[in-house]
């Protein structure tokens, strides 16, 4: 044998499911371009008949990771059939009592640690994203009996105060312990249960089942009231002064007045010098919430921040995929922090499916012309054809102007 083998003697073959790329993004910021490429590689690496957590260590279908990434995976790759297949595995994983394990499919374990809506919400997220991206409501309707069983289970786990808090929390943030975030699990679970109820209501309406819709409407309103009473202070701010908590209230519209929460969210970002101080649940909500309140530049600054914790720290560490944690030493190929890939396409390129007319029948164009960017290009290949946006800064008559080109397939309506 060779005592000191040369690395050049070893070659690797990159294998993944044959899913065509259905979106792309590029802009004048090389950090964003490189980060998008890292996200593409992490996504493809983990498409192996189920959305795995990492291709090197566990190779398991962790449901919390998949719930965080399902949207960007369906935007960026032709994964709808892949997710329809995995949705059957999710349905099959339901235990008699309605519990869903943290890993899907499971040989029998995963029902104790790693559960809760942070994971099991994937039962709702997957058919909803299929509906949003393609307009196909059959998976939503076919999931109704499973929604019923699992929602009954979730609501049965409520504590004396009516709120739900078990299983995974705001996992894997830049905190001392990955599973001890400053936002309580009772908060994240209860908000995500509201989200699950709302998706179930949509499914019931699509199935023309007004009784089920009314029943879940009542539960959703009750749980929303309990949440607001427990966590919104008299001045309208959140009692948990954390990025995750404030962002989740904003995204899921769990407030009476947006302004106090908007100011508070900005504050939680400024206090951490425009860095993440949230786990994977918060991350999925943070950029969205900042965009909703009219501060997309805050999201951009977080995504491109330098120093710990940041994506650029990974790049400086030689990353070619996304890592599992902000702290060094864990998996170097996870996809659970990949939501920025959806955010870039939906907010910098500005291509959004309209939830009222899903499947890109009507497209909402919301590009953000950040002063740091000179140009931005993105496209989505939809069931109706390619939708593309290309904008750049040009100087005309001494003034800085935006020149934008939008391509729409026949029969698709665009709203700017």
């Amino acid at each position: 044998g060779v005592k000191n083998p040369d690395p050049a003697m070893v070659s690797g073959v990159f294998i993944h499911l044959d899913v065509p790329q259905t979106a792309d993004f590029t802009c004048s910021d090389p950090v964003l371009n490189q980060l998008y490429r890292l996200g593409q590689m992490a996504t493809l690496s983990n498409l192996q008949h189920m959305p795995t957590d990492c291709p090197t260590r566990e190779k398991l279908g962790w449901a919390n990771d998949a719930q965080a990434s399902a949207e960007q995976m369906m935007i960026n790759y032709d994964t709808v059939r892949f997710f329809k297949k995995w949705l059957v595995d999710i349905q099959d994983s339901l235990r008699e009592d309605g519990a869903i394990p943290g890993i899907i499919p499971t040989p029998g374990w995963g029902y104790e640690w790693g559960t809760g809506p942070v994971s099991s919400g994937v039962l709702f997220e997957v058919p909803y994203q299929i509906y949003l991206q393609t307009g196909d409501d059959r998976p939503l309707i076919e999931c109704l009996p499973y929604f019923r069983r699992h929602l009954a289970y979730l609501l049965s786990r409520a504590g004396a105060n009516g709120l739900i808090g078990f299983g995974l929390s705001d996992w894997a943030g830049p905190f001392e312990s990955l599973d001890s975030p400053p936002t309580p699990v009772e908060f994240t679970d209860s908000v995500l249960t509201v989200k699950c109820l709302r998706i179930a209501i949509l499914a019931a309406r699509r199935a023309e089942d007004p009784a089920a819709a009314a029943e879940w409407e009542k539960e959703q309103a009750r749980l929303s009231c309990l949440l607001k009473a427990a966590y919104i202070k008299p001045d309208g701010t959140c009692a948990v002064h954390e990025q995750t908590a404030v962002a989740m209230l904003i995204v899921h519209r769990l407030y009476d007045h947006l302004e106090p929460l908007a100011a508070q969210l900005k504050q939680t970002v400024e206090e951490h010098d425009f860095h993440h101080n949230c786990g994977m649940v918060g991350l999925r909500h943070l950029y969205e919430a900042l965009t909703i309140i009219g501060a997309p530049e805050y999201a951009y600054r977080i995504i491109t921040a330098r120093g710990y914790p940041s994506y650029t720290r990974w790049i400086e560490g030689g990353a070619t995929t996304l890592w599992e944690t902000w702290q060094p030493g864990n998996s170097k190929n996870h996809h659970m922090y990949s939501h920025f890939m959806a955010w870039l396409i939906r907010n910098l390129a500005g291509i959004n499916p309209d939830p009222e007319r899903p499947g890109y029948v009507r497209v909402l164009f919301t590009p953000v012309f950040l002063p740091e960017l000179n140009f931005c290009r993105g496209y989505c290949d939809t069931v109706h054809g390619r939708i593309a946006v290309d904008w750049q800064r040009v100087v005309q008559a001494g003034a800085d102007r935006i020149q934008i080109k939008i391509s729409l397939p026949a029969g698709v309506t665009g709203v700017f």
Side-chain angles (χ1 to χ4, degrees):
V2 181
K3 281 189 176 173
N4 296 304
D6 182 341
M9 293 167 68
V10 180
S11 60
V13 179
F14 183 35
I15 59 163
H16 55 80
L17 290 187
D18 183 14
V19 284
Q21 186 177 334
T22 50
D24 205 2
F25 174 88
T26 184
C27 70
S28 57
D29 185 335
V31 172
L32 287 186
N33 296 340
Q34 190 172 356
L35 196 50
Y36 192 80
R37 179 67 183 147
L38 265 54
Q40 288 176 315
M41 294 299 282
T43 299
L44 289 173
S45 304
N46 284 291
L47 293 179
Q48 303 287 357
H49 306 287
M50 56 185 167
T52 57
D53 58 329
C54 58
T56 48
R57 192 182 64 204
E58 296 174 9
K59 309 179 183 75
L60 295 171
W62 278 101
N64 56 314
D65 296 17
Q67 183 173 195
S69 301
E71 180 184 23
Q72 76 79 5
M73 285 181 172
M74 285 191 224
I75 290 172
N76 285 291
Y77 294 95
D78 184 4
T79 51
V80 169
R81 282 184 305 161
F82 165 83
F83 275 110
K84 282 182 177 175
K85 177 266 170 195
W86 193 57
L87 188 54
V88 175
D89 295 337
I90 298 171
Q91 294 166 350
D92 288 347
S93 78
L94 255 80
R95 205 165 59 182
E96 207 55 41
D97 63 357
I100 291 177
I103 59 159
I104 302 165
T106 173
W109 68 274
Y111 290 94
E112 302 310 318
W113 191 88
T115 57
V118 172
S119 297
S120 65
V122 79
L123 170 67
F124 302 82
E125 179 74 16
V126 166
Y128 176 70
Q129 288 299 336
I130 291 171
Y131 172 67
L132 191 62
Q133 301 300 327
T134 69
D136 181 2
D137 63 4
R138 281 168 303 178
L140 270 176
I141 293 168
E142 286 164 7
C143 275
L144 275 167
Y146 301 95
F147 288 170
R148 177 164 294 284
R149 280 170 60 195
H150 187 59
L151 285 169
Y153 173 78
L154 285 181
L155 296 167
S156 78
R157 296 291 306 257
N161 63 357
L163 297 176
I164 295 149
F166 72 100
L168 275 185
S169 54
D170 189 23
W171 172 252
F175 314 124
E176 206 165 313
S177 163
L178 296 184
D179 202 21
S180 298
T183 300
V185 67
E186 177 190 85
F187 183 98
T188 48
D189 270 12
S190 299
V191 174
L192 291 174
T193 302
V194 168
K195 171 189 166 179
C196 293
L197 281 161
R198 287 175 180 168
I199 292 172
I201 292 161
L202 170 68
R205 286 181 181 151
R206 299 298 302 177
E208 297 180 358
D209 184 347
E215 175 195 344
W216 287 328
E217 274 282 7
K218 196 173 161 187
E219 283 295 345
Q220 185 269 141
R222 183 187 64 79
L223 190 53
S224 297
C225 284
L226 287 174
L227 256 166
K228 291 197 286 188
Y231 286 106
I232 294 187
K233 298 197 292 190
D235 66 0
T237 61
C238 182
V240 180
H241 185 71
E242 295 292 335
Q243 290 173 4
T244 296
V246 183
M248 289 183 85
L249 290 180
I250 291 170
V251 169
H252 297 289
R253 305 181 306 283
L254 290 163
Y255 53 80
D256 294 320
H257 304 288
L258 179 59
E259 293 75 16
L261 291 173
Q264 186 180 16
L265 185 62
K266 283 183 167 182
Q267 198 180 342
T268 64
V269 174
E270 290 161 5
E271 284 167 357
H272 292 279
D273 192 28
F274 294 87
H275 284 75
H276 300 108
N277 192 54
C278 58
M280 61 174 297
V281 179
L283 191 96
R284 173 85 197 276
H285 294 84
L286 181 59
Y287 313 145
E288 302 301 335
L290 287 166
T291 308
I292 288 166
I293 66 168
E297 69 280 4
Y298 277 53
Y300 170 79
R301 285 184 66 176
I302 295 168
I303 295 169
T304 56
R306 302 183 75 82
Y308 178 83
S310 70
Y311 290 113
T312 54
R313 179 64 71 89
W314 296 350
I315 292 171
E316 288 159 5
T320 53
T321 49
L322 304 176
W323 293 359
E324 180 183 15
T325 56
W326 307 109
Q327 301 88 328
N330 291 298
S331 155
K332 298 292 188 286
N333 193 348
H334 260 61
H335 62 80
M336 69 183 186
Y337 288 123
S338 66
H339 179 69
F340 68 86
M341 296 173 73
W343 185 83
L344 293 175
I345 285 175
R346 290 201 295 96
N347 297 292
L348 295 193
I351 304 169
N352 294 274
D354 183 345
E356 298 301 314
R357 297 191 62 194
Y360 299 91
V361 174
R362 183 164 60 199
V363 186
L364 307 177
F365 289 106
T366 58
V368 175
F369 309 122
L370 291 171
E372 294 87 348
L373 299 183
N374 293 322
F375 73 85
C376 183
R377 286 191 290 272
Y379 73 77
C380 288
D381 286 333
T382 74
V383 287
H384 302 289
R386 179 165 293 192
I387 296 161
V389 170
D390 181 346
W391 65 259
Q392 57 183 331
R393 292 189 183 280
V394 292
V395 177
Q396 285 181 341
D400 189 20
R401 297 182 187 278
I402 298 289
Q403 201 172 64
I404 186 163
K405 181 182 167 189
I406 290 174
S407 307
L408 276 179
V412 170
T413 307
V415 180
F416 203 89

